[in-house]
Amino acid sequence: MLLLLTWCAFPTAMKAAEVEDKLLTTPASPEVLAKGLEADGYHLGVSVYVWGYPLVRMERVAREYTDVPSPKPDTSYRAPLNQVGWAQELATPAAKDMPTANNDTYYLSAVVTLNEPYLITVPDTSDRYYVIDVFNMWQELEHYIGRRTTGTKAGRFAVVPPGWSGQLPPDVKRLDVTTNKVWLWGRLGAVGATPQLVHDLQAKFKVEPLSGKPSTATLSPLPSIANDELGFLTQLAFALKSNKVKTVDEALFGQFARIGLTNDGFDPSKVRPETRKGLLRGLADGPAVSISSFASTATRRNGWDWVTGLDSFGFNYPLRAMVAGPYLGGNGEKEAMYPIRYTDADGNVLNGSNKYIVKFDREPPVGAFWSLTMYNASDKMLVANPIHRFKVGTDTKGMIKGSDGSITIPIQAETPTGEAAANWLPAPKGDFYVMLRLYQPSQEILSGAYQLPQVRKVN
């Protein structure tokens, strides 16, 4: 028996001996140390960027969206701190606050500092679609208020800061959050509504402190980082002073001490020259790593990138960073789906020098409404055009359907001739992408049973 055991173990021992353990043979030479420090700086630079970008982005947005211009454009939803701001018009190409903005809903924004609970009062919208997303400062969706989750009757909700243990009025639903500041990001559906109806409803949405006492809170400015190669880390350290590192992230955050980032702040003098070289490369590549989460996270369905998990990022820091950037404020898939399209059926980048068609066999099966929206690839903004049409969808006037219920949408820069003009989605001259928004998608959509239409070049 002993001989048998020895014989069985012998091949394994031989295989192990054939594997070179390079750490045992790597010398601590100056060349190796320099190479290792640079590599360490690079991977820490990528990690700190994709992890920390949402917090920096949200702190920037908190200050940007509470800086109200005068006069305030009708498409702007900016409002002073702890107050509700509503866009009075749907987004147009002139609305530059939000990349990839929709042209379907009126936006609401409120940046709220939670020195105490804040009450959100919503009116009866008579089944009109609305949603208010409650985001923490990591751009994570912690609660939904609206048609899908809480209905459209009048109600009151309390956003409660960490550690608060007081009493709320009995008719108020408690919503606990994990940061001491939140961003309320809302949408009110425009389908079938007159501007006056919308404005009357908007006036009935309220955000007020539980005590009823006006807040005197202010936001101190972010550190200026002009001409500072490591400015991102300076602003991240500043943001972390008022946003505690999550328990689950403490081990990751502890690694950043090697690049001078700790709970005490950011000290660039702690960064060795070799590490700095790699760190700068890592920070520069961070955006590409974040955008690459499309490839690692999205499901591709008939050419469309279909990303889920926007309200449950978990440890997918690149996805969280990407959403916090060009897709800030995106809903989770049960609230809305956002299939996005950059290429045609042949895999070529969409460009306005060509003509395309998108043919839906039938209208998408949604519980609210849908739209196909056009964006410039260069700046992710809506596309100016002679008929001021930025999307085709549920509320497109004069839409023509086939006898079988199909919908054919021509996508091109020049106006189509004949009936095709009724469903025309104008394109820019250069590269573009389109986004299919599906509000309150059905299970048929969520499961993938509903087939998304192909984008076909026709010239």
Side-chain angles (χ1 to χ4, degrees), residues 224-290:
S224 175
I225 57 173
N227 302 314
D228 182 355
E229 288 184 315
L230 298 177
F232 173 81
L233 294 174
T234 299
Q235 289 196 342
L236 177 56
F238 178 88
L240 287 168
K241 291 295 184 183
S242 56
N243 296 279
K244 185 179 179 181
V245 175
K246 297 178 183 181
T247 301
V248 295
D249 288 345
E250 286 178 354
L252 173 63
F253 181 71
Q255 306 304 307
F256 302 145
R258 300 203 298 279
I259 52 174
L261 180 66
T262 67
N263 286 320
D264 295 327
F266 173 57
D267 184 355
S269 71
K270 301 292 186 182
V271 185
R272 297 176 62 99
E274 302 91 341
T275 305
R276 183 188 181 98
K277 184 178 178 181
L279 176 59
L280 291 173
R281 287 197 299 112
L283 292 173
D285 284 351
V289 173
S290 301

Side-chain angles (χ1 to χ4, degrees), residues 152-283:
T152 60
K153 298 294 184 183
R156 293 205 298 169
F157 306 83
V159 181
V160 177
W164 187 84
S165 58
Q167 293 295 315
L168 294 171
D171 65 331
V172 172
K173 181 176 180 179
R174 178 172 176 145
L175 305 176
D176 288 281
V177 294
T178 57
T179 55
N180 289 313
K181 189 159 66 258
V182 295
W183 179 42
L184 306 180
W185 182 232
R187 301 164 177 83
L188 179 62
V191 176
T194 64
Q196 188 60 53
L197 184 152
V198 168
H199 298 160
D200 288 346
L201 281 176
Q202 289 175 334
K204 296 175 182 177
F205 285 80
K206 306 289 184 184
V207 173
E208 303 165 300
L210 177 63
S211 66
K213 300 176 181 178
S215 172
T216 59
T218 59
L219 297 177
S220 55
L222 290 171
S224 175
I225 57 173
N227 302 314
D228 182 355
E229 288 184 315
L230 298 177
F232 173 81
L233 294 174
T234 299
Q235 289 196 342
L236 177 56
F238 178 88
L240 287 168
K241 291 295 184 183
S242 56
N243 296 279
K244 185 179 179 181
V245 175
K246 297 178 183 181
T247 301
V248 295
D249 288 345
E250 286 178 354
L252 173 63
F253 181 71
Q255 306 304 307
F256 302 145
R258 300 203 298 279
I259 52 174
L261 180 66
T262 67
N263 286 320
D264 295 327
F266 173 57
D267 184 355
S269 71
K270 301 292 186 182
V271 185
R272 297 176 62 99
E274 302 91 341
T275 305
R276 183 188 181 98
K277 184 178 178 181
L279 176 59
L280 291 173
R281 287 197 299 112
L283 292 173

Side-chain angles (χ1 to χ4, degrees), residues 74-95:
D74 287 339
T75 57
S76 174
Y77 34 77
R78 296 189 184 196
L81 189 66
N82 299 325
Q83 295 183 33
V84 171
W86 274 107
Q88 300 296 296
E89 291 183 358
L90 297 177
T92 68

Side-chain angles (χ1 to χ4, degrees), residues 410-426:
I411 299 176
Q412 57 190 68
E414 294 78 24
T415 307
T417 58
E419 281 192 352
N423 298 353
W424 174 40
L425 181 58

